[in-house]
Amino acid sequence: MLDAAMKTQLKGYLERLMRPVEITTFAGDDAKSKDMLALIADIRGLSDKITVTEGADAARVPSFALSSPGQNISLTFAGLPMGHEFTSLVLALLQTGGYPAKVEQAIQDQIRALKGRFRFETYFSLSCQNCPDVVQALNLMAVLNPGIEHVAIDGALFQAEVDARQVMSVPTIFLNGELFGAGRMDAEQILAKIDTGAVSRAAESISAQAPYEVLVVGGGPAGAAAAIYAARKGIRTGVVAERFGGQVLDTMSIENLISVPHTEGPQLARALETHVREYEVDIFNTQVATRLEEVPGGYRVTLASGAALNATSVILSTGARWRKMGVPGEEQYLAKGVTFCPHCDGPLFKGKRVAVIGGGNSGAEAAIDLAGLVTHVTLIEFDKALRADDVLQRKLRSLKNVTILTETRTTEVKGDGSRVTGLACEDRRSGEIREIALEGIFVQIGLMPNTGWLKSTLTLSPRGEIVVDAHGATSLPGVFAAGDCTTAPYKQIVIAMGEGARAGLAAFDHLIRLPVAEKAA
């Protein structure tokens, strides 16, 4: 199952096991069960600390459970955790085997202190780059706390179960049989939802912080670069981030970051955070800024948790989010057929009919990818012609199960109350309204800056972008901005990094020119 190179690499990891690991398999006569048993056999052959036994009466076949003698661990993989989830399997083996997790001790202590019974089930797809974060967080929680169980389920392999539970995006998490959440989450975010009092404790701790010289709002490439450049100047720096890495976490493949031929979004996000943490920077994760106001000596940033932080200067790098269609039914059916990531959610629509909204490169690429999985793809473009590169258009038009509709406007998402059943669209030439029966809608119409909370605070462009000058300065003295939330053209990772560095240097330049008394304040 594993090639020689993967075996060599995995053997090196498994040498770090500090206690025995027991793998219990639940298999049938199907091909996937045979593949799973081959994988487990390969793993067993790489460490004398691993034993394998056959189990019976499993809820899902194929599946396998990990545990350790004397440890009350309930951690199961249903399916074959390859692709993006192979790393999750390796980490689960190491952590079950007693190898310390690279997670802040405070978070580990919070996990261990949780009281009650928590049975988590996570549906993932092997092509989803966000799923491993959820799977790995819940696996760790199952290792650290005997009251927590976790089953990671390959949704493409258990299609009937996915349909019955109406799972239409990944990752989707159930807790004790009830829907818990969908989308990427880390351990901090999961704990915030199940640990009553965690939010208020965090808010109290944050508000107790002394004022910063530079406070960065946003933890994407621009925010990370700004924090690093500010910290390297020896000034007190803090970062507030809803999720460190920002939209990079949702990026499948990155091949244009100079000097890095290829990487993936989550990998780059981890590298960004690791780099920032090499400096004396305070990071406040899972925090959303809601207000920016001037106060004596600088600015105050208020957070959704109720906490507030003061700073002499502020760098805004809040990034952008997927643009929505803004039509009836869209909000109602988000994650119930309306989705944004073809790589993550595409496998859940195998054999079904879908639409892709948007005829740019992203839309064309999504339609091409989906055409290999689904029965039929309808690509809908508002303008008279597609905007995608010619090479993508030629590929798209060569696919027999793709229909292209130009000069067409989506007017409504249709559903039965629990899932998407179709959409209504208008032919802009004739005014005719038609309905298309389908099960999934992939929206690919660009990005919107995360600046709604700043509308009455500083100058924004008609598109909602923060207006900045050549130094990244905004209309407020001492407030700078960088990245996709600004008017700077070309929304690229490498450009955001450069703009973040510029903003960090500009903030430092601003600080050293302040009167001594004002700076001290």
Side-chain angles (χ1 to χ4, degrees):
M1 185 68 186
L2 300 177
D3 60 31
M6 290 183 72
K7 286 182 179 180
T8 300
Q9 186 177 22
L10 182 55
K11 181 177 176 63
Y13 285 126
L14 295 179
E15 288 174 355
R16 303 175 187 179
L17 294 176
M18 302 172 68
R19 64 191 182 207
V21 173
E22 295 178 342
I23 303 178
T24 304
T25 62
F26 303 91
D29 295 326
D30 57 287
K32 286 296 183 181
S33 289
K34 292 175 182 177
D35 287 343
M36 183 196 74
L37 292 175
L39 172 64
I40 300 303
D42 283 348
I43 294 172
R44 168 64 186 89
L46 298 176
S47 174
D48 57 8
K49 282 189 169 67
I50 295 177
T51 58
V52 179
T53 58
E54 294 182 11
D57 301 325
R60 300 175 181 89
V61 172
S63 64
F64 61 93
L66 304 182
S67 192
S68 183
Q71 305 294 318
N72 189 357
I73 297 174
S74 182
L75 190 166
T76 302
F77 286 95
L80 201 63
M82 299 299 289
H84 287 290
E85 292 300 339
F86 187 69
T87 300
S88 300
L89 171 58
V90 174
L91 287 174
L93 288 166
L94 290 174
Q95 291 163 3
T96 301
Y99 189 76
K102 293 182 178 179
V103 175
E104 291 182 47
Q105 190 60 49
I107 295 175
Q108 295 189 47
D109 292 342
Q110 188 179 355
I111 293 170
R112 290 189 175 96
L114 283 172
K115 304 297 182 184
R117 301 295 301 180
F118 305 89
R119 177 175 172 77
F120 288 99
E121 298 166 290
T122 302
Y123 291 88
F124 66 84
S125 72
L126 298 181
S127 57
C128 172
Q129 72 271 28
N130 289 326
C131 294
D133 289 319
V134 175
V135 171
Q136 290 166 24
L138 289 169
N139 282 347
L140 175 62
M141 292 173 70
V143 170
L144 296 179
N145 189 321
I148 299 175
E149 304 174 42
H150 182 224
V151 185
I153 307 160
D154 182 354
L157 191 57
F158 296 91
Q159 191 67 52
E161 187 174 329
V162 163
D163 290 342
R165 279 186 145 175
Q166 299 182 8
V167 175
M168 306 193 77
S169 67
V170 288
T172 291
I173 311 165
F174 285 81
L175 171 58
N176 297 334
E178 302 293 329
L179 181 63
F180 176 76
R184 181 190 176 276
M185 283 189 243
D186 58 21
E188 285 181 90
Q189 292 167 309
I190 295 168
L191 285 168
K193 293 189 70 170
I194 63 175
D195 183 6
T196 56
V199 173
S200 60
R201 291 197 303 271
E204 184 178 347
S205 174
I206 292 170
S207 294
Q209 297 294 319
Y212 290 91
E213 291 177 283
V214 171
L215 180 64
V216 180
V217 183
I228 289 168
Y229 268 76
R232 285 175 61 86
K233 292 295 186 181
I235 54 182
R236 179 169 162 76
T237 304
V239 177
V240 172
E242 182 175 359
R243 53 176 191 159
F244 210 99
Q247 197 185 0
V248 163
L249 290 162
D250 303 323
T251 305
M252 184 69 175
S253 180
I254 300 168
E255 298 176 344
N256 56 0
L257 183 58
I258 309 307
S259 84
V260 182
H262 177 268
T263 187
E264 294 182 347
Q267 182 180 352
L268 177 59
R270 286 191 292 271
L272 290 172
E273 185 169 359
T274 298
H275 195 174
V276 172
R277 290 188 183 278
E278 289 185 358
Y279 298 92
E280 293 184 6
V281 176
D282 293 335
I283 297 177
F284 304 100
N285 227 332
T286 70
Q287 300 295 325
V288 179
T290 59
R291 186 178 181 188
L292 172 67
E293 59 185 323
E294 288 191 69
V295 295
Y299 294 89
R300 176 178 294 125
V301 175
T302 302
L303 310 178
S305 63
L309 290 165
N310 286 6
T312 308
S313 64
V314 174
I315 298 174
L316 302 169
S317 56
T318 50
R321 65 190 183 278
W322 292 110
R323 185 182 297 276
K324 296 179 181 178
M325 296 180 289
V327 300
E330 181 179 28
E331 290 292 336
Q332 180 181 356
Y333 292 105
L334 283 176
K336 297 178 182 178
V338 176
T339 184
F340 300 92
C341 182
H343 302 293
C344 300
D345 300 335
L348 300 177
F349 293 87
K350 185 176 181 180
K352 299 180 180 179
R353 301 159 298 177
V354 303
V356 173
I357 312 300
N361 283 349
S362 296
E365 289 169 355
I368 292 167
D369 288 345
L370 290 165
L373 292 170
V374 305
T375 299
H376 189 269
V377 180
T378 302
L379 178 68
I380 297 176
E381 167 56 40
F382 184 85
D383 287 337
K384 293 182 179 180
L386 301 185
R387 293 167 287 109
D389 294 342
D390 287 342
V391 64
L392 293 175
Q393 292 195 41
R394 287 195 297 272
K395 174 64 177 177
L396 196 60
R397 297 181 191 281
S398 73
L399 300 173
K400 296 182 179 180
N401 64 335
V402 174
T403 299
I404 300 172
L405 301 178
T406 57
E407 286 194 83
T408 302
R409 180 175 68 92
T410 303
T411 58
E412 184 179 0
V413 174
K414 300 287 188 176
D416 60 8
S418 61
R419 64 177 64 191
V420 166
T421 59
L423 63 77
C425 58
E426 176 191 16
D427 185 324
R428 296 177 56 230
R429 290 158 293 199
S430 66
E432 177 188 0
I433 300 291
R434 61 179 293 195
E435 291 191 10
I436 302 173
L438 43 76
E439 290 76 36
I441 301 171
F442 292 80
V443 184
Q444 300 284 298
I445 54 176
L447 302 171
M448 286 185 65
N450 295 317
T451 57
W453 62 290
L454 296 166
K455 282 184 179 178
S456 59
T457 307
L458 43 68
T459 302
L460 302 178
S461 73
R463 294 173 57 88
E465 299 168 323
I466 302 171
V467 176
V468 293
D469 67 11
H471 296 275
T474 72
S475 58
L476 291 177
V479 176
F480 303 85
D484 287 3
C485 65
T486 74
T487 50
Y490 311 120
K491 312 304 186 186
Q492 298 290 308
I493 291 171
V494 68
I495 292 175
M497 288 179 172
E499 288 186 359
R502 180 183 65 182
L505 293 172
F508 174 72
D509 192 59
H510 168 77
L511 289 170
I512 62 176
R513 283 167 170 73
L514 289 176
V516 174
E518 184 177 348
K519 184 179 179 183

PDB file of all heavy atoms in Angstrom, residues 319-333:
ATOM      1  N   GLY A 319      -8.016  40.831   5.377  1.00  0.00           N
ATOM      2  CA  GLY A 319      -8.208  39.940   4.246  1.00  0.00           C
ATOM      3  C   GLY A 319      -9.582  40.040   3.605  1.00  0.00           C
ATOM      4  O   GLY A 319     -10.266  41.058   3.688  1.00  0.00           O
ATOM      5  N   ALA A 320      -9.983  38.948   2.959  1.00  0.00           N
ATOM      6  CA  ALA A 320     -11.237  38.922   2.223  1.00  0.00           C
ATOM      7  C   ALA A 320     -11.902  37.559   2.396  1.00  0.00           C
ATOM      8  O   ALA A 320     -11.305  36.625   2.918  1.00  0.00           O
ATOM      9  CB  ALA A 320     -10.985  39.212   0.740  1.00  0.00           C
ATOM     10  N   ARG A 321     -13.132  37.466   1.951  1.00  0.00           N
ATOM     11  CA  ARG A 321     -13.899  36.215   2.039  1.00  0.00           C
ATOM     12  C   ARG A 321     -14.606  35.982   0.707  1.00  0.00           C
ATOM     13  O   ARG A 321     -14.694  36.881  -0.130  1.00  0.00           O
ATOM     14  CB  ARG A 321     -14.921  36.294   3.173  1.00  0.00           C
ATOM     15  CG  ARG A 321     -15.999  37.340   2.953  1.00  0.00           C
ATOM     16  CD  ARG A 321     -16.841  37.546   4.193  1.00  0.00           C
ATOM     17  NE  ARG A 321     -17.931  38.490   3.974  1.00  0.00           N
ATOM     18  CZ  ARG A 321     -17.794  39.807   4.013  1.00  0.00           C
ATOM     19  NH1 ARG A 321     -16.604  40.342   4.261  1.00  0.00           N
ATOM     20  NH2 ARG A 321     -18.831  40.595   3.815  1.00  0.00           N
ATOM     21  N   TRP A 322     -15.124  34.779   0.538  1.00  0.00           N
ATOM     22  CA  TRP A 322     -15.838  34.462  -0.687  1.00  0.00           C
ATOM     23  C   TRP A 322     -17.024  35.411  -0.882  1.00  0.00           C
ATOM     24  O   TRP A 322     -17.784  35.660   0.039  1.00  0.00           O
ATOM     25  CB  TRP A 322     -16.357  33.020  -0.655  1.00  0.00           C
ATOM     26  CG  TRP A 322     -15.301  31.961  -0.708  1.00  0.00           C
ATOM     27  CD1 TRP A 322     -14.928  31.115   0.295  1.00  0.00           C
ATOM     28  CD2 TRP A 322     -14.490  31.622  -1.835  1.00  0.00           C
ATOM     29  NE1 TRP A 322     -13.931  30.282  -0.134  1.00  0.00           N
ATOM     30  CE2 TRP A 322     -13.634  30.571  -1.441  1.00  0.00           C
ATOM     31  CE3 TRP A 322     -14.394  32.119  -3.138  1.00  0.00           C
ATOM     32  CZ2 TRP A 322     -12.715  29.994  -2.296  1.00  0.00           C
ATOM     33  CZ3 TRP A 322     -13.464  31.540  -4.005  1.00  0.00           C
ATOM     34  CH2 TRP A 322     -12.650  30.491  -3.577  1.00  0.00           C
ATOM     35  N   ARG A 323     -17.176  35.912  -2.081  1.00  0.00           N
ATOM     36  CA  ARG A 323     -18.327  36.748  -2.410  1.00  0.00           C
ATOM     37  C   ARG A 323     -19.548  35.859  -2.640  1.00  0.00           C
ATOM     38  O   ARG A 323     -19.472  34.848  -3.350  1.00  0.00           O
ATOM     39  CB  ARG A 323     -18.041  37.578  -3.664  1.00  0.00           C
ATOM     40  CG  ARG A 323     -19.144  38.568  -4.017  1.00  0.00           C
ATOM     41  CD  ARG A 323     -18.794  39.306  -5.312  1.00  0.00           C
ATOM     42  NE  ARG A 323     -17.587  40.087  -5.149  1.00  0.00           N
ATOM     43  CZ  ARG A 323     -17.540  41.314  -4.632  1.00  0.00           C
ATOM     44  NH1 ARG A 323     -18.653  41.894  -4.226  1.00  0.00           N
ATOM     45  NH2 ARG A 323     -16.391  41.957  -4.533  1.00  0.00           N
ATOM     46  N   LYS A 324     -20.674  36.235  -2.049  1.00  0.00           N
ATOM     47  CA  LYS A 324     -21.905  35.469  -2.217  1.00  0.00           C
ATOM     48  C   LYS A 324     -22.752  36.065  -3.341  1.00  0.00           C
ATOM     49  O   LYS A 324     -22.541  37.199  -3.764  1.00  0.00           O
ATOM     50  CB  LYS A 324     -22.693  35.456  -0.907  1.00  0.00           C
ATOM     51  CG  LYS A 324     -21.959  34.746   0.233  1.00  0.00           C
ATOM     52  CD  LYS A 324     -22.779  34.781   1.519  1.00  0.00           C
ATOM     53  CE  LYS A 324     -22.026  34.096   2.654  1.00  0.00           C
ATOM     54  NZ  LYS A 324     -22.790  34.158   3.936  1.00  0.00           N
ATOM     55  N   MET A 325     -23.724  35.293  -3.804  1.00  0.00           N
ATOM     56  CA  MET A 325     -24.579  35.740  -4.908  1.00  0.00           C
ATOM     57  C   MET A 325     -25.581  36.797  -4.463  1.00  0.00           C
ATOM     58  O   MET A 325     -25.995  37.640  -5.252  1.00  0.00           O
ATOM     59  CB  MET A 325     -25.330  34.538  -5.502  1.00  0.00           C
ATOM     60  CG  MET A 325     -24.436  33.494  -6.132  1.00  0.00           C
ATOM     61  SD  MET A 325     -25.402  32.113  -6.802  1.00  0.00           S
ATOM     62  CE  MET A 325     -25.947  31.308  -5.272  1.00  0.00           C
ATOM     63  N   GLY A 326     -26.028  36.710  -3.215  1.00  0.00           N
ATOM     64  CA  GLY A 326     -27.010  37.659  -2.712  1.00  0.00           C
ATOM     65  C   GLY A 326     -28.401  37.441  -3.266  1.00  0.00           C
ATOM     66  O   GLY A 326     -29.124  38.404  -3.543  1.00  0.00           O
ATOM     67  N   VAL A 327     -28.788  36.178  -3.437  1.00  0.00           N
ATOM     68  CA  VAL A 327     -30.118  35.869  -3.978  1.00  0.00           C
ATOM     69  C   VAL A 327     -30.925  35.096  -2.937  1.00  0.00           C
ATOM     70  O   VAL A 327     -30.359  34.484  -2.022  1.00  0.00           O
ATOM     71  CB  VAL A 327     -30.007  35.041  -5.278  1.00  0.00           C
ATOM     72  CG1 VAL A 327     -29.228  35.804  -6.325  1.00  0.00           C
ATOM     73  CG2 VAL A 327     -29.361  33.677  -5.010  1.00  0.00           C
ATOM     74  N   PRO A 328     -32.237  35.107  -3.055  1.00  0.00           N
ATOM     75  CA  PRO A 328     -33.066  34.349  -2.114  1.00  0.00           C
ATOM     76  C   PRO A 328     -32.678  32.868  -2.082  1.00  0.00           C
ATOM     77  O   PRO A 328     -32.407  32.271  -3.127  1.00  0.00           O
ATOM     78  CB  PRO A 328     -34.490  34.541  -2.666  1.00  0.00           C
ATOM     79  CG  PRO A 328     -34.431  35.821  -3.436  1.00  0.00           C
ATOM     80  CD  PRO A 328     -33.055  35.869  -4.022  1.00  0.00           C
ATOM     81  N   GLY A 329     -32.658  32.311  -0.897  1.00  0.00           N
ATOM     82  CA  GLY A 329     -32.354  30.898  -0.738  1.00  0.00           C
ATOM     83  C   GLY A 329     -30.893  30.592  -0.504  1.00  0.00           C
ATOM     84  O   GLY A 329     -30.546  29.506  -0.011  1.00  0.00           O
ATOM     85  N   GLU A 330     -29.993  31.539  -0.829  1.00  0.00           N
ATOM     86  CA  GLU A 330     -28.561  31.256  -0.702  1.00  0.00           C
ATOM     87  C   GLU A 330     -28.172  31.025   0.751  1.00  0.00           C
ATOM     88  O   GLU A 330     -27.510  30.022   1.083  1.00  0.00           O
ATOM     89  CB  GLU A 330     -27.745  32.401  -1.291  1.00  0.00           C
ATOM     90  CG  GLU A 330     -26.236  32.172  -1.214  1.00  0.00           C
ATOM     91  CD  GLU A 330     -25.454  33.314  -1.834  1.00  0.00           C
ATOM     92  OE1 GLU A 330     -25.972  34.453  -1.839  1.00  0.00           O
ATOM     93  OE2 GLU A 330     -24.323  33.079  -2.281  1.00  0.00           O
ATOM     94  N   GLU A 331     -28.554  31.937   1.639  1.00  0.00           N
ATOM     95  CA  GLU A 331     -28.186  31.807   3.042  1.00  0.00           C
ATOM     96  C   GLU A 331     -28.832  30.561   3.662  1.00  0.00           C
ATOM     97  O   GLU A 331     -28.209  29.853   4.456  1.00  0.00           O
ATOM     98  CB  GLU A 331     -28.612  33.052   3.821  1.00  0.00           C
ATOM     99  CG  GLU A 331     -27.817  34.304   3.487  1.00  0.00           C
ATOM    100  CD  GLU A 331     -26.367  34.216   3.946  1.00  0.00           C
ATOM    101  OE1 GLU A 331     -26.081  33.447   4.876  1.00  0.00           O
ATOM    102  OE2 GLU A 331     -25.526  34.913   3.347  1.00  0.00           O
ATOM    103  N   GLN A 332     -30.072  30.304   3.295  1.00  0.00           N
ATOM    104  CA  GLN A 332     -30.792  29.166   3.866  1.00  0.00           C
ATOM    105  C   GLN A 332     -30.101  27.845   3.540  1.00  0.00           C
ATOM    106  O   GLN A 332     -30.102  26.923   4.363  1.00  0.00           O
ATOM    107  CB  GLN A 332     -32.227  29.132   3.330  1.00  0.00           C
ATOM    108  CG  GLN A 332     -33.062  27.972   3.879  1.00  0.00           C
ATOM    109  CD  GLN A 332     -34.469  27.950   3.308  1.00  0.00           C
ATOM    110  OE1 GLN A 332     -34.857  28.848   2.550  1.00  0.00           O
ATOM    111  NE2 GLN A 332     -35.238  26.943   3.648  1.00  0.00           N
ATOM    112  N   TYR A 333     -29.493  27.765   2.348  1.00  0.00           N
ATOM    113  CA  TYR A 333     -28.932  26.484   1.915  1.00  0.00           C
ATOM    114  C   TYR A 333     -27.399  26.464   1.900  1.00  0.00           C
ATOM    115  O   TYR A 333     -26.797  25.600   1.267  1.00  0.00           O
ATOM    116  CB  TYR A 333     -29.500  26.115   0.542  1.00  0.00           C
ATOM    117  CG  TYR A 333     -30.975  25.804   0.614  1.00  0.00           C
ATOM    118  CD1 TYR A 333     -31.926  26.717   0.153  1.00  0.00           C
ATOM    119  CD2 TYR A 333     -31.430  24.619   1.186  1.00  0.00           C
ATOM    120  CE1 TYR A 333     -33.282  26.449   0.252  1.00  0.00           C
ATOM    121  CE2 TYR A 333     -32.777  24.339   1.283  1.00  0.00           C
ATOM    122  CZ  TYR A 333     -33.700  25.256   0.820  1.00  0.00           C
ATOM    123  OH  TYR A 333     -35.042  24.976   0.928  1.00  0.00           O
TER     124      TYR A 333
END
